[in-house]
Amino acid sequence: MLKRYKEEFHGRKFQFILTDLKGVVLESDQHLLAVKEKELIGDVHPFFFSLPEIMQGDERTTSFHCVQLGDRTGELTTDITVEKVDKRLLVIIENLTDHYLSYQSIAQSRNESIIDSELILLKNHELQERERFKNEFIQNFSHELRNPLTNIIALTNILQRSNLNEEQTGILEVLKGSTSNLKLMLEDILSLAMISKGKLALNPTVFNFRQFIEFIRLTYTTRAQEKGLAFALTADEKIPEYIEGDRLRMLQIVTNLCDNAIKYTEKGKVALYIALNQKRANTINLRFGVKDTGQGIPEEKLETVLESFEQLGKSEGAGLGLAIVKGLLALMNAQIKIQSIENEGSHFYFDVTLKYPLHHQSTLLTSKHAVTHTSPKISKTPKKFKVLLVEDNEHVQTSLLKTLIDTGDFFIDLVGDGALVMQEIVNKHYDIVLMDVNLPNITGDQLAKVIRGLPFKNIKKIPIIGITANSYKEQIKAYKKAGMNIVLSKPFDDVELIKTMYKLLR
């Protein structure tokens, strides 16, 4: 039985051809190729033409690998061994077609896998480069916008304090509204860049949740009415009055969702609801949802609508709102979800876990966390303070000078070059220094470090307020470490500036 199997196997895999030294076939077993006795082996297949010449050398055995035989290329792939036996040539043909096909398939798969891996690496590199370029562009673009925006805000506030007729007041209100929107858009762009770079950190505090809700209700009831829409807000009464979280970022998320809903809704209503999912120990899980009766989102857009600069059709804005919502929620270990039917409306919702204080005194918390919007009280002291204003941008110089002069409390010296600051500081007495960080020749933070290192007590203790177009926390922290008491990021309100100066001069 075994002998029969061995013969069958050899019959499928091997063929033996015996020839003389000139290549004339003496005998063959006919298993793989049809071979006639007394014919030249070269007539069987062109490969064999040169065998007699090859075997004229001293080698007893010669092997050939991966030889294609048969009527069609690739029909039969073999290994061939030729041996000299008693002045004859023994040609042994081994059929390895399946082996070579398998090897070729494996090699091809491996090559394709390598190519795919390389393509993935190239694509990832390309995406990283695109992301890096985008973030750098956003950062530089927002940086360049801050100086002119600071000027606009300052000059608008100065105009508001002047005598204006009714028409001029109306124009000024429109200008202030547009400036406010531009400022918010700039902050959105910066937030997006900080999220992408992993530099945005949450700042959780205890805040009055009911006041938070009421602020949103008043804001969006008015905005919806301006567009002829209804706005409804419902909140679970079991939600604690005070909760702990990043109020600013929570407000940014909710307002972006509400703004987005109102933007894409032409008739009907927008509804914001806040439901209590779970309350355990001192943690609370809330669901925020915004529903609208707007144009809805096509199914193919549901994934991309959360990406940066994506918009549905033609609309105002930069298409950043939902991307910021997505990024901020990721920092809170939450995720935005969408349900939408085209031409019927959309539903955006998310679940977020926050904390709340188990024991508190409402009056203390209210006092501590209440938000005030009153202007700083102008100093009534007869003394005027001496201010060194260090700023190289002429337009910012003009707006800051006008703001400081209008208080009536300051004498001001102006320097536009960082290299001249030390000369002024040493030769004159100043009560406070207002200094831009980005100055020609030497930066403001470097100057602050030098001033703090001087041996003269009256100089090294001068309060320094830094103003900068940079807003990353790491940068602000570095400027303060260099010696600046307080750093204001452009664009800032003139009320904020004056209030900060009085705080340091007390």
Side-chain angles (χ1 to χ4, degrees), residues 81-343:
T81 302
V82 183
E83 292 194 12
K84 290 180 181 178
V85 181
D86 299 330
K87 296 184 180 181
R88 295 176 182 177
L89 301 180
L90 178 61
V91 181
I92 306 168
I93 304 173
E94 182 181 2
N95 182 5
L96 293 175
T97 303
D98 292 340
H99 167 76
Y100 281 116
L101 287 176
S102 176
Y103 179 82
Q104 183 181 16
S105 178
I106 293 171
Q108 183 173 347
S109 297
R110 179 175 175 275
N111 290 338
E112 289 176 353
S113 177
I114 292 172
I115 292 170
D116 288 342
S117 298
E118 292 294 328
L119 288 174
I120 290 171
L121 288 173
L122 287 171
K123 190 170 184 179
N124 286 340
H125 180 71
E126 180 187 356
L127 290 173
Q128 288 172 0
E129 284 297 308
R130 287 170 61 185
E131 190 69 16
R132 182 189 61 79
F133 173 80
K134 183 191 75 174
N135 289 332
E136 287 184 0
F137 172 78
I138 288 173
Q139 185 177 350
N140 294 333
F141 181 71
S142 62
H143 184 281
E144 293 302 319
L145 278 179
R146 289 179 182 276
N147 274 339
L149 191 55
T150 300
N151 299 335
I152 294 170
I153 292 173
L155 294 174
T156 302
N157 289 333
I158 291 168
L159 280 173
Q160 195 171 30
R161 294 193 292 268
S162 62
N163 295 323
L164 302 174
N165 60 36
E166 186 175 345
E167 181 183 4
Q168 291 170 330
T169 301
I171 294 172
L172 191 62
E173 286 301 318
V174 174
L175 179 60
K176 285 192 70 176
S178 299
T179 306
S180 178
N181 289 337
L182 183 57
K183 183 179 178 181
L184 288 173
M185 192 180 299
L186 184 61
E187 292 303 323
D188 279 349
I189 292 173
L190 182 64
S191 295
L192 190 63
M194 292 174 73
I195 291 170
S196 299
K197 285 191 170 185
K199 292 188 176 182
L200 185 65
L202 298 177
N203 183 30
T205 58
V206 178
F207 64 93
N208 190 312
F209 189 66
R210 293 176 189 172
Q211 290 181 359
F212 175 84
I213 293 171
E214 194 57 31
F215 172 77
I216 294 172
R217 187 196 308 277
L218 291 172
T219 301
Y220 286 96
T221 298
T222 303
R223 291 191 184 180
Q225 286 176 350
E226 289 174 353
K227 199 174 177 181
L229 303 173
F231 179 78
L233 190 156
T234 57
D236 196 319
E237 294 181 355
K238 295 179 182 178
I239 299 175
E241 180 179 2
Y242 291 92
I243 62 175
E244 183 178 342
D246 192 324
R247 181 187 181 279
L248 175 62
R249 300 307 176 187
M250 287 297 302
L251 184 64
Q252 198 172 4
I253 291 168
V254 175
T255 54
N256 267 312
L257 290 177
C258 291
D259 285 336
N260 196 67
I262 290 175
K263 181 195 297 185
Y264 291 107
T265 303
E266 296 302 325
K267 60 181 180 179
K269 66 178 182 179
V270 172
L272 166 65
Y273 69 89
I274 307 166
L276 174 61
N277 288 334
Q278 190 180 51
K279 188 177 178 184
R280 180 184 297 172
N282 70 325
T283 63
I284 185 169
N285 186 273
L286 302 177
R287 169 163 292 189
F288 289 77
V290 177
K291 296 181 178 180
D292 64 62
T293 56
Q295 67 184 52
I297 304 169
E299 187 174 352
E300 66 273 12
K301 288 268 190 177
L302 286 175
E303 293 295 328
T304 60
V305 75
L306 296 174
E307 302 303 321
S308 306
F309 306 105
E310 284 290 333
Q311 289 182 309
L312 295 176
K314 295 180 179 179
S315 62
E316 294 181 356
L320 297 174
L322 293 180
I324 290 170
V325 168
K326 179 183 175 182
L328 290 177
L329 285 177
L331 292 177
M332 299 179 185
N333 297 316
Q335 184 180 7
I336 188 70
K337 297 179 181 178
I338 310 172
Q339 295 174 342
S340 186
I341 300 176
E342 199 169 359
N343 299 321

